[in-house]
Amino acid sequence: MFMHNKRLQYTVRVSEPNPGLANLMLEQFGGPQGELAAAMRYFTQAIGEDDPGRKDLLLDIATEELSHLEVIGNIVAMLNKGAKGRLAEAAEKQAELYSTITGAGNDSHLTQVLYGGGPPLVNSAGVPWTAAYIDTIGDPTSDLRSNIAAEARAKIIYERLINLTPDAGVRDALGFLMTREIAHQKQFEKALYAIEPNFPPGKLPGNPDFTDKYYNMSQGPGDGRGPWNEGEQWEYVDDRKDQSAVDGGDGSATVQMSKEDLAVLRNLWRRTATQNGERITGADLGAGPGAGAMTGGKTPRS
Amino acid sequence: MFMHNKRLQYTVRVSEPNPGLANLMLEQFGGPQGELAAAMRYFTQAIGEDDPGRKDLLLDIATEELSHLEVIGNIVAMLNKGAKGRLAEAAEKQAELYSTITGAGNDSHLTQVLYGGGPPLVNSAGVPWTAAYIDTIGDPTSDLRSNIAAEARAKIIYERLINLTPDAGVRDALGFLMTREIAHQKQFEKALYAIEPNFPPGKLPGNPDFTDKYYNMSQGPGDGRGPWNEGEQWEYVDDRKDQSAVDGGDGSATVQMSKEDLAVLRNLWRRTATQNGERITGADLGAGPGAGAMTGGKTPRS
Amino acid sequence: MFMHNKRLQYTVRVSEPNPGLANLMLEQFGGPQGELAAAMRYFTQAIGEDDPGRKDLLLDIATEELSHLEVIGNIVAMLNKGAKGRLAEAAEKQAELYSTITGAGNDSHLTQVLYGGGPPLVNSAGVPWTAAYIDTIGDPTSDLRSNIAAEARAKIIYERLINLTPDAGVRDALGFLMTREIAHQKQFEKALYAIEPNFPPGKLPGNPDFTDKYYNMSQGPGDGRGPWNEGEQWEYVDDRKDQSAVDGGDGSATVQMSKEDLAVLRNLWRRTATQNGERITGADLGAGPGAGAMTGGKTPRS
Amino acid sequence: MFMHNKRLQYTVRVSEPNPGLANLMLEQFGGPQGELAAAMRYFTQAIGEDDPGRKDLLLDIATEELSHLEVIGNIVAMLNKGAKGRLAEAAEKQAELYSTITGAGNDSHLTQVLYGGGPPLVNSAGVPWTAAYIDTIGDPTSDLRSNIAAEARAKIIYERLINLTPDAGVRDALGFLMTREIAHQKQFEKALYAIEPNFPPGKLPGNPDFTDKYYNMSQGPGDGRGPWNEGEQWEYVDDRKDQSAVDGGDGSATVQMSKEDLAVLRNLWRRTATQNGERITGADLGAGPGAGAMTGGKTPRS
Amino acid sequence: MFMHNKRLQYTVRVSEPNPGLANLMLEQFGGPQGELAAAMRYFTQAIGEDDPGRKDLLLDIATEELSHLEVIGNIVAMLNKGAKGRLAEAAEKQAELYSTITGAGNDSHLTQVLYGGGPPLVNSAGVPWTAAYIDTIGDPTSDLRSNIAAEARAKIIYERLINLTPDAGVRDALGFLMTREIAHQKQFEKALYAIEPNFPPGKLPGNPDFTDKYYNMSQGPGDGRGPWNEGEQWEYVDDRKDQSAVDGGDGSATVQMSKEDLAVLRNLWRRTATQNGERITGADLGAGPGAGAMTGGKTPRS
Amino acid sequence: MFMHNKRLQYTVRVSEPNPGLANLMLEQFGGPQGELAAAMRYFTQAIGEDDPGRKDLLLDIATEELSHLEVIGNIVAMLNKGAKGRLAEAAEKQAELYSTITGAGNDSHLTQVLYGGGPPLVNSAGVPWTAAYIDTIGDPTSDLRSNIAAEARAKIIYERLINLTPDAGVRDALGFLMTREIAHQKQFEKALYAIEPNFPPGKLPGNPDFTDKYYNMSQGPGDGRGPWNEGEQWEYVDDRKDQSAVDGGDGSATVQMSKEDLAVLRNLWRRTATQNGERITGADLGAGPGAGAMTGGKTPRS
């Protein structure tokens, strides 16, 4: 069960309203690397998890991320405070409001016109949050890796926001949120390595013929070697012939079909087959009288 | 520049048409953990990458994933071959086609009716592929962790598909594809650890006050300790009072506003304030004559 | 700040695994009328709200909805428990697993193959949750009406699920969740009517010329009158002539443009103008030699 | 059957082209509270409705909303008229067009580059319209409440647009559209209260143990009382202990499983269990040589 | 302005309820090739169109497609009539309703549970309609080609639905709808060819060096020639060397940067550069004690 | 199988960084008419195609479009090069970075903050690419028409981008990409007309009663005639009476139901029927004491 206390996890002190900055902050409220995505990623894992330790860990962090969602949401609300009143109360002439809302450095029209200054679950471009951002699949060695990566990404987005935020109070709160992503990443790392073995994920082993091959699919200028394809571990496959049909077959795709199915398909193939001969096309007609030569056909006119 | 050879990377031998199975395979064609997501994740990273070694690695794997997309797509096409012909040619009575397409063990109506048996970029539930699945953010220590996690997830989905596929030919090809995810994960691990340091990601250090704290946000039955919150590394914060307003403030959110803005906001607040007194509501009206007691108001009737 | 206790708000007692039923339950986990939508609708309103009473109410209910999300998620997880193990451990032959997962009465392939039995934030058709479901706009008399409607909808979906759930333990928990929607609706009604006046919403009055007109736009068999268009309140506008250009103008759309703009537009219009005369089209060509008469043109052949 | 007359429902007189303003207007063309959403909400309800009076009402209003969609679409088209020509005809140097299209006060690049100045079904941020905006569920007492709320929201968005529109002709047309939302809300209210009883929605009564309880889930500074939780109607539940496991159980989630299923699950649990002992993690490796102390493990190097 | 008559454009006579069939019909109600997509494609083009003839044509067909949307919607509603009542009134035991709703040949749970039997704007898989289906770009020679293609696609989907519909009354109405797509395609063809020239679309000519080249990008088994790449019109480019850097350059991507930008970028490159040397990775750690040889590193243990 | 060479198909020479321009270029990277949509449209068709010639053609063009995706992606990356470094390295004060990122003529905040300067698969408004853009349905005469239209649309978007791009190097590469769309359109036209007949698409003929009728659905000012509705080919249906119930029936929708179903439905209808009599509504209550006259009811107060 969730409970709530109206005291925030971190005090939010904003120096002055700035709807343009509010809009950028939405990235971590309703964006793909934001706090709702984090909270829901861990919460859905927790519910499906049967290991009591990991379940507890996931619930602890999911709950903290919800509290972070509240912190970043309050930053957005504070930055929008002035603009919200002016639009709702029609406190300025239309032309002034229009220029404030669409003016330079201020891409916040959506937040104001559509959402009235409250924090919506959209990213900084106005794209609604979607559960497609959540990559939980219900396997712990995969999900923990996903969590580690997610924390790393969230850390970077906070770092970028800190780098461009002129308001010291906002920067202070962002610094806290960024730091907690580092802490969470370390915690998930601990949980991953407490499963042994954790690689490869799952139960089925790979086919040893293909586990250590490196296919050099991109060649030409800039082709190189690195720890991922050199050394005794790796078999480096460079020749195009050895990259296709690697099972030793002919590289085709086939299916065995009944006579009846084949007969039906033959009718379909025949009905839609490419036929020989040069033909005038719609583009020929459309290119106009003088364009015949270009398209290789004669252009008729009714 | 991309080139193509009509020989597949792995020969596809399907035993018999099975549109229901085709539908499940779509998970790795147009699903979130599928091959298009993989190819596009690495391809977009490669274009933004400036380190020549990693750029090459990313292009190699992106290109191989496109070739995997082709393999899984051909599996889908082969499994749908018979159904495609029968629907296009109206080879059966309507009632027969209806029962084949909606019948038990066969959830493939979408693939057949909407896509004509070809492999669409949807998952096994028919949800169109979206770039929201791609978590590339343009920072190598984050993106490589995302890639490691993505390969782990794809490995598991292939393992699940193998576990439920009765067709030995399809299983064989799926085994190859699954194995390559293991190989790619190892390659991305090598690339991540070739950046030093790679943790924490980015350039800004965390605030040391909060890097090693563990907030026990979820308490009650099942609460526990593990390597992620015990040991000298961690400071375990259990008391609810120490979990809120951790900056030492009062946990409120504030913004400094001009007098003008405040005056406008006060008008807005007054206009929409909660007023004292008991009132009849729409639900009171709607609950009907005998329901007054339940809702605490008297139900008037005009 | 959010806190969590691992004790659920309502005890969940499931009689036996049933992945098909689990799938239907997703409607209230990640569906449009489900608990995440409810929690996020009220939470985003709470953050933007300045009236202390309503803010408190919204936080109370948002927090309870998160606890409901946890209850319904645990129902899903329990119903999937058996299937999860069998697929992860490959505990049955492939053909058996295939027929369980795609068999009659069991539409749960997505939940199992993609999500491993955990509760994903999708509806019962597998469509990912989206913030487009949330209709918060930051105006209290509108948002409270949206909340009242949302509670009514959620109540009905729970009622439908109860009507089709054979498992008595699941029905019991659904009954609790359904009842709370009724309670919340009553609470939001109280909050709406504590704002006076609350109709029309906002500050701007309507244009009295058009506030009480009823336009009978759909005519013909079944046309009728009711309390929404009869009585002294309503002016009933039936004549088509009085339904268009109701401002008394000519019903056209115009813009005043500079000479320069007009000159440029004239070039564009001329370049793409419809020209007189009968022409052979691509469809004429494509209809084949004998089809000329049908399409009104002569079919040329190069 | 629908019919059309090229005379608009309201004459549109735009003073001058203004693509930035055009973009904001899109909010009510292809946005969540816009006219397409309104028309489709009522139209889908009408088709499913069996009560002849409500069916007629819904068709009347759906048809009027389509006519409003046409009015707002024509406003967009008029405001974009000049820009459309200049881009299509390349009437200015590239640098001039670039600065017009991306310049201050003009966020309209999408509308121009992608849609050529026509009105696309996107909101003012360019997000495509989705049927996820429509909350029709096929129950009249819910759907009418949804309609009432939708009209209230649309009224507010029009009010905001009016407040920021410098063009008097556009304001005039917006005023008409806003007023009609007020009229429609009143009409839907009449239809809702003509169903008796209409509360609670649906047929199943709630569980009386939980219909009038108010759970004070959010506590701390700002906690308060109001008409929604005080008075004889409400039972106010404040103690955390009385908020969880409210059914009197232990607040756990359980399912009865067969021995076979349990045995399989035990294998899964064992395979992925958290194991005791301190371990070096990927983050330890990645933190670099001097970082060992911070992460609590020794950092090895091959 | 739109008007409506409650008489449908085509009488709908359904033989018996069949919610499974209702679900398939949704493909043309809320699916990508369905009637809403058609209506909105032509309606948005009409509003932006300045040529009076085409504007009229587009409005005529848009209005007819709305009327078709109504016909297909009524087919869905009729097919769902029985199921709607049974679920709303709880007319059967739960286990019976469960098996009806999830049973063989009946994929309609979403339509019933979420939408109560009314026709929702989703496709047959439950995916909500999105304006991303509409490809209007505001250029007549492109948009007309898009319309021609859209009518062709819609015709095929109707043909497939007719082929699988056992209900003769439904088939009759589908036959009408399918036929009208043929008529509309012919009408749009006439409109396209009335613009001269209409190819290439737009105003800018192509670069003659590349207009008639055919790049044979896919080679290997099955490589062939056809009217699209043989004949005097085409220059067939087969050699891989002639397919890349076709401008005669080196095929690289470059940008000229200031010294300051370059200096900053060098810092970034250095900080995240790949470094030489073999390193133990997270996967090495995770592969367990016996797995060292496989991954090429020694596995440490703290 | 796909292969790759790091030499681009066309050399990219960008004059100077310009993140605002980079953002506009995204339209053809991850936008609906962009190169990924093109590549995936043809690639999915190729896999489902059985005609060897068309399969080869589709693979050739799909592969070339992937190479174009790479070219446009590199343009984006080059234009973002400077901004990427400055944000990652915090090379400027926050206020400067804030004003660069949100400043006039520069709508690129999303690309920089969320994606770090790499090319994301979004359009110029930041909307993620979706497979809903792809209209492949697996029928060659429809799909080829879709391809022809898609090439026409892509040509126009490139033309618009060229018209507004001040950078000559970028314009040069865009010119190549635009030209290839012209070439591809011609190639697809050849493939379409090599199928005979190709109109109407599919196998089922239309109902001759409705193939050549033109319904004049939109009347009033601007109504006209053109090649699409005049001439001996067309039957022009102008009278509203002849436009509805065109099958000669009564234009109603009916279904035959069992007695049991009817009885259940009657209960539902009765329960939710509109009842006579004037009633006070929620809006009446909410309009306040003095508003009674306006809404036609007396406003009670408890």
Side-chain angles (χ1 to χ4, degrees), chain D residues 1-7 48 50 56 67 70 81 84 89 115 129-131 137 203 278 302, chain E residues 1-7 48 50 56 67 70 81 84 89 115 121 129-131 137 203 278 302:
Chain D
M1 190 192 73
F2 287 95
M3 297 159 286
H4 185 266
N5 186 300
K6 273 173 280 288
R7 199 175 286 116
D50 289 307
D56 183 37
S67 303
E70 193 182 17
K81 216 48 131 192
K84 174 188 174 176
E89 297 301 298
Y115 301 113
W129 193 89
T130 161
I137 63 162
K203 196 177 171 190
E278 206 161 90
S302 66
Chain E
M1 191 192 72
F2 287 94
M3 297 160 285
H4 185 265
N5 187 301
K6 274 175 277 289
R7 201 173 287 115
D50 290 307
D56 183 37
S67 304
E70 194 183 17
K81 216 50 135 189
K84 173 188 175 177
E89 296 301 299
Y115 301 112
L121 286 165
W129 192 89
T130 162
I137 63 162
K203 196 176 169 190
E278 206 161 90
S302 67

Side-chain angles (χ1 to χ4, degrees), chain F residues 165-298:
Chain F
T165 294
D167 186 312
V170 176
R171 264 209 316 272
D172 177 51
L174 293 176
F176 168 72
L177 297 171
M178 182 192 79
T179 300
R180 294 304 296 161
E181 313 294 13
I182 300 174
H184 294 162
Q185 181 176 343
K186 293 198 294 185
Q187 290 155 9
F188 286 127
E189 297 256 2
K190 289 295 179 193
L192 172 62
Y193 290 91
I195 305 175
E196 288 202 314
N198 62 52
F199 181 84
K203 197 176 170 189
L204 266 185
N207 177 342
D209 292 350
F210 301 113
T211 315
D212 295 293
K213 281 200 169 69
Y214 185 95
Y215 293 112
N216 182 25
M217 304 301 281
S218 172
Q219 305 185 358
D223 212 22
R225 305 295 292 264
W228 43 78
N229 64 16
E230 66 186 353
E232 61 186 88
Q233 181 184 0
W234 301 108
E235 182 183 347
Y236 188 76
V237 184
D238 202 32
D239 191 326
R240 294 295 188 196
K241 267 173 259 145
D242 300 333
Q243 294 176 344
S244 73
V246 296
D247 59 311
D250 63 359
S252 67
T254 52
V255 58
Q256 296 166 41
M257 274 188 295
S258 67
K259 275 188 193 170
E260 291 73 18
D261 273 358
L262 254 180
V264 169
L265 272 174
R266 274 205 201 95
N267 289 343
L268 172 57
W269 295 338
R270 218 170 284 134
R271 182 160 66 78
T272 59
T274 293
Q275 296 173 29
N276 288 330
E278 204 160 274
R279 270 168 207 80
I280 289 179
T281 70
D284 295 324
L285 297 181
M294 183 182 86
T295 56
K298 295 183 200 77

Side-chain angles (χ1 to χ4, degrees), chain E residues 19-20 31-32 42 65 69 94 108 111 115 132 179 187 248 255 262 269 284:
Chain E
Y42 310 140
E65 304 288 20
L69 185 69
Q94 295 91 350
S108 66
T111 323
Y115 301 112
T179 298
Q187 291 155 8
V255 60
L262 253 181
W269 296 338
D284 294 325

Side-chain angles (χ1 to χ4, degrees), chain C residues 70-136:
Chain C
E70 194 182 15
V71 171
I72 189 84
N74 273 278
I75 291 174
V76 172
M78 291 301 122
L79 287 166
N80 273 330
K81 215 50 132 190
K84 174 188 173 175
R86 282 202 300 275
L87 185 57
E89 296 302 299
E92 293 174 308
K93 289 239 168 123
Q94 294 92 348
E96 283 170 52
L97 268 171
Y98 176 74
S99 90
T100 322
I101 279 174
T102 61
N106 190 340
D107 194 30
S108 68
H109 59 86
L110 185 82
T111 322
Q112 294 182 65
V113 175
L114 183 50
Y115 301 112
L121 286 165
V122 301
N123 75 354
S124 72
V127 177
W129 192 89
T130 162
Y133 295 150
I134 297 187
D135 44 24
T136 298

